[in-house]
Amino acid sequence: MSRKIRKAVFPVAGLGTRFLPATKAVPKEMLTVVDRPVIQHVVDEARAAGIEHFVFVTGRGKAVIEDHFDMNFELDRTLSERGKLKELEALARDLPEAGRTSFTRQQAPLGLGHAVWCARDIIGDEPFALLLPDMLHHGKQPCLAGMIDAYERHGGNLVAVYEVPDSDTHQYGICGVKDQNGALAITQMVEKPKQGTSPSNLAISGRYILQPEIFNILETQERGAGGEIQLTDAMITLAQKQDFYAHIFDGAIYDCGMKIGFLMANLMLGLERPDLGPELRKAIANLK
Ligand code: G1P
């Protein structure tokens, strides 16, 4: 039987240079999609998949993320004094249980592989989920929940993938796949292939289930694409020893690391909200 996925890692150390000046003093993970910070949407996804412990790999200037996932006593008292019980309840619902979050720092920006490696002591010797907060996965079933269902069937390691146009493959990790008893087994992975050399259009969308052996590989992983320690390179080594599957997410994916993806996420999630959607739709129809 596959070992249960209890912990999830969220790498939140990135600088967010694409969103300057918004991200000069505010971490990019705290920018809001409608009225929830991007990181909150991704933590919601992990909670919906039954994750019990949330591990944030942070960096300088990110302390506000820790505050966001803590109780704000003064705010709670003020809300309660003003009778704003709905808001108070909503905050309580979002708050992870005490002792269920961990924060560690990536001391230097050496790449995603290095950020994940920084979580090794907190994860220990068990399989874990990894969610990249830039990528908002939005569908009927949360992406990670679907991955955990698949993981419980066949075990091993998993990455979520989605189809991107030829012109974008060089911006992502790309997988080659083949059908194996109804599952998609990974035959090839490459991080940011040069244009025209991509093995497929299936890009890694930022959701992973990984076995703990990844940490030993990361320990000595050399720098790859962009001069960074790449998680994909370590996964290529792991795939030589363990099963590796791709999971196609049935929903929309917004790359909130890009301005256009971020704006689309706000628009689409706004349109779906019963309290905002009808008015927003009307306002768009009346645009001059
Ligand atoms: C990272 C991963 C890449 C993945 C992408 C998804 O790249 O290395 O494999 O496709 O996230 O957003 P980054 O966006 O950090 O360059």
Side-chain angles (χ1 to χ4, degrees):
M1 221 188 76
S2 313
R3 279 189 294 167
K4 192 171 177 325
I5 308 296
R6 298 189 313 120
K7 300 179 182 173
V9 174
F10 304 86
V12 291
L15 284 178
T17 44
R18 283 195 205 123
F19 279 85
L20 282 169
T23 48
K24 192 174 166 197
V26 175
K28 63 174 174 165
E29 296 80 9
M30 292 302 293
L31 300 181
T32 54
V33 170
V34 189
D35 49 10
R36 295 170 86 67
V38 170
I39 185 67
Q40 179 75 62
H41 284 281
V42 182
V43 165
D44 292 346
E45 180 190 334
R47 281 180 96 172
I51 294 297
E52 296 166 7
H53 195 109
F54 307 86
V55 182
F56 299 85
V57 181
T58 75
R60 279 180 289 283
K62 302 277 183 167
V64 68
I65 297 177
E66 200 165 335
D67 292 340
H68 179 76
F69 290 104
D70 190 9
M71 182 176 270
N72 182 334
F73 182 72
E74 292 83 356
L75 177 63
D76 284 5
R77 199 181 49 197
T78 308
L79 289 175
S80 147
E81 281 167 6
R82 294 187 184 169
K84 296 206 174 270
L85 299 184
K86 237 173 69 194
E87 287 80 0
L88 200 58
E89 274 164 29
L91 287 180
R93 251 196 325 271
D94 286 344
L95 192 67
E97 201 189 323
R100 299 285 200 185
T101 52
S102 295
F103 296 84
T104 187
R105 279 194 179 205
Q106 183 185 23
Q107 296 167 343
L110 298 177
L112 177 61
H114 179 258
V116 173
W117 178 76
C118 290
R120 67 198 179 284
D121 276 7
I122 303 172
I123 297 297
D125 186 27
E126 58 180 281
F128 62 99
L130 168 67
L131 299 96
L132 307 191
D134 277 351
M135 304 297 278
L136 209 67
H137 290 57
H138 187 65
K140 273 199 203 88
Q141 187 191 33
C143 181
L144 187 63
M147 291 173 77
I148 289 181
D149 283 353
Y151 169 78
E152 281 167 357
R153 284 195 300 275
H154 53 55
N157 300 267
L158 259 112
V159 290
V161 294
Y162 74 132
E163 239 175 271
V164 297
D166 287 343
S167 55
D168 290 355
T169 51
H170 68 289
Q171 297 175 20
Y172 295 97
I174 303 289
C175 299
V177 297
K178 68 161 194 236
D179 187 72
Q180 189 178 293
N181 308 320
L184 280 183
I186 290 186
T187 53
Q188 216 184 331
M189 279 184 274
V190 45
E191 181 65 19
K192 306 205 169 74
K194 293 210 168 64
Q195 244 149 2
T197 68
S198 186
S200 82
N201 288 66
L202 291 179
I204 297 173
S205 70
R207 298 292 181 272
Y208 310 73
I209 290 176
L210 294 169
Q211 298 296 324
E213 287 75 18
I214 194 76
F215 293 122
N216 268 342
I217 302 170
L218 284 170
E219 182 101 28
T220 53
Q221 184 62 52
E222 308 221 324
R223 289 169 191 251
E228 297 191 336
I229 299 172
Q230 293 290 353
L231 177 64
T232 305
D233 294 343
M235 295 197 303
I236 293 169
T237 308
L238 188 58
Q240 290 162 5
K241 300 171 199 151
Q242 296 186 2
D243 291 341
F244 234 106
Y245 299 96
H247 173 84
I248 296 185
F249 172 57
D250 182 21
I253 296 179
Y254 303 104
D255 186 346
C256 291
M258 307 271 197
K259 281 174 198 156
I260 190 73
F262 177 73
L263 291 172
M264 285 307 291
N266 270 288
L267 186 60
M268 300 309 283
L269 270 67
L271 283 171
E272 272 185 21
R273 282 267 296 256
D275 58 334
L276 291 170
E279 217 177 315
L280 181 57
R281 202 173 291 277
K282 237 190 272 164
I284 293 168
N286 290 336
L287 278 179
K288 295 219 174 72

